[in-house]
Amino acid sequence: MGVSAKTYVPVLKWRQGEYQALMRLHAATKAQVKPLIEVTPPEWDFETHKFKKTIDSQLTPFASRLEKKWGTRPAFLDTSLLDPVARMIGSVHPLTYLMDEARSRGGTVTPVTSLGRDLAHYNAIASALAMDGRGVAVRVSLDDIADPGFPATLASLVNSLGAALPQTDLILDLAAKNFEPLADLIALVSALLQSSPVYVEVRSLILVGTSFPASMGEVKVGSHILPRQEWKLYKGVAAALPASFRTLTFGDYAIASADIPGGDMRLLKPSATIRYTVTDGWFITKGNNVRDNGFDQYRGQCGTVISSGHMAATGYSAGSDYIRDCHAKTKSTGNLTTWRWVGTNHHITRVVDDLASFHGP
């Protein structure tokens, strides 16, 4: 699957809530999605002072889950969150292991790299590229492309991996950039993308970012609409670029921030929160912490979403339907993972529709 202006590239940590969200998408929505999967490292156990899993036990289920949850549909695969010195049993590089396992199950996976990685990583990328012939994705920052030498650096990197620019997906990831003032950022990004032929020569050009809060602690109890600045940025950049410019694809971090939440879970008290994507924003309902107040409060929050004026029609997304059913007490209040898949599933569905509307027939 090549990517187009209507393709959506959500950056998703490969955790249960996220892959359940992908699995429960409608078929027509799946056809417009190419996720960028970030493989997460083993979690640290603050009680035993060691990792809860080895790198082998952490990564072994990946390929089977990818097959069950996403089938053979295309995806990007990024291992940048893993410890660069981590190796599987037999000294196998984690990226090599993941690509080999996905390939054995018919997975259609494009590996993701970036500037400044180590030689072992680049060798694993080159090996996968040679075996699969699907090219490579290069994930870069705004600072990277602002460097006047970036076009030459990119061409050199891609060439060293055994590829060429027409086999390269270039992912400009602003991550949790300060989006204000938005007009200035739109002008900067659009100017940089027109500064070199390299941005036209690559196979695809994908603009990614997130303005979702780094912590729900930043959000007060109650109901709020938070702006999706990355979506506003994308629309602004797409409009600012000449009509003759190449296709620009959109990506974000769905209903999450760019970083992996840290801290000792024994001490954290997460709140009951529904993250519901609406026009240009997220409708957030935040309750009290679930450890002291339980999950039953979600039923009332579901009612708040339903009566907000933002609720989608029945059947729109599996996530929306779950909210409606939970309020009606025909579904359970679940757990934190439940509400991650609910919000993510609805978000992906909404963004695919947003892109279709923005770019037209």
Side-chain angles (χ1 to χ4, degrees), residues 51-331:
F51 288 108
K52 294 181 180 180
K53 295 181 179 181
T54 65
I55 190 67
D56 293 82
S57 57
Q58 178 77 358
L59 302 187
T60 295
F62 173 80
S64 63
R65 284 179 181 157
L66 181 66
E67 181 182 27
K68 291 175 183 176
K69 308 302 180 181
W70 196 237
T72 58
R73 297 177 185 87
F76 294 111
L77 179 65
D78 193 321
T79 58
S80 60
L81 297 178
L82 301 180
D83 186 338
V85 300
R87 295 292 182 271
M88 310 290 288
I89 291 175
S91 299
V92 177
H93 194 280
L95 179 60
T96 298
Y97 172 82
L98 292 169
M99 293 297 296
D100 287 349
E101 290 295 302
R103 186 182 307 112
S104 71
R105 294 173 178 268
T108 311
V109 178
T110 302
V112 178
T113 189
S114 56
L115 306 183
R117 301 296 296 272
D118 60 44
L119 182 59
H121 166 83
Y122 287 140
N123 286 341
I125 290 281
S127 176
L129 198 156
M131 294 188 70
D132 298 323
R134 295 195 187 98
V136 64
V138 181
R139 191 174 177 182
V140 297
S141 68
L142 188 60
D143 286 345
D144 287 333
I145 72 166
D147 184 340
F150 172 74
T153 298
L154 177 65
S156 176
L157 170 60
V158 169
N159 182 67
S160 72
L161 297 173
L165 291 176
Q167 298 171 289
T168 302
D169 302 298
L170 184 60
I171 302 169
L172 172 55
D173 187 359
L174 305 186
K177 179 73 177 173
N178 180 0
F179 289 83
E180 296 293 348
L182 187 60
D184 289 352
L185 186 57
I186 289 170
L188 174 62
V189 172
S190 58
L192 287 171
L193 295 183
Q194 297 175 75
S195 65
S196 169
V198 72
Y199 301 106
V200 176
E201 294 170 4
V202 291
R203 178 169 60 188
S204 67
L205 181 61
I206 305 166
L207 179 61
V208 174
T210 183
S211 54
F212 199 87
S215 167
M216 290 309 295
E218 300 175 17
V219 180
K220 294 180 179 179
V221 171
S223 301
H224 315 271
I225 291 184
L226 305 180
R228 288 194 282 146
Q229 299 283 39
E230 61 279 6
W231 173 234
K232 294 180 180 180
L233 173 71
Y234 171 80
K235 291 189 292 182
V237 172
L241 292 170
S244 59
F245 194 75
R246 56 102 29 77
T247 295
L248 182 65
T249 300
F250 174 70
D252 63 17
Y253 285 75
I255 60 167
S257 62
D259 298 325
I260 298 178
D264 187 345
M265 287 303 296
R266 298 173 301 170
L267 306 178
L268 300 179
K269 292 186 176 183
S271 301
T273 305
I274 298 178
R275 311 170 184 196
Y276 195 77
T277 304
V278 299
T279 302
D280 287 346
W282 296 281
F283 180 74
I284 306 291
T285 66
K286 180 179 177 181
N288 297 308
N289 81 76
V290 294
R291 288 195 175 180
D292 296 331
N293 299 279
F295 283 84
D296 206 51
Q297 57 188 304
Y298 271 105
R299 297 206 191 277
Q301 289 179 287
C302 289
T304 299
V305 176
I306 292 169
S307 63
S308 68
H310 298 292
M311 187 68 182
T314 301
Y316 179 78
S317 69
S320 281
D321 287 350
Y322 195 97
I323 291 172
R324 190 174 281 107
D325 291 342
C326 179
H327 183 250
K329 299 185 178 180
T330 58
K331 294 287 188 183

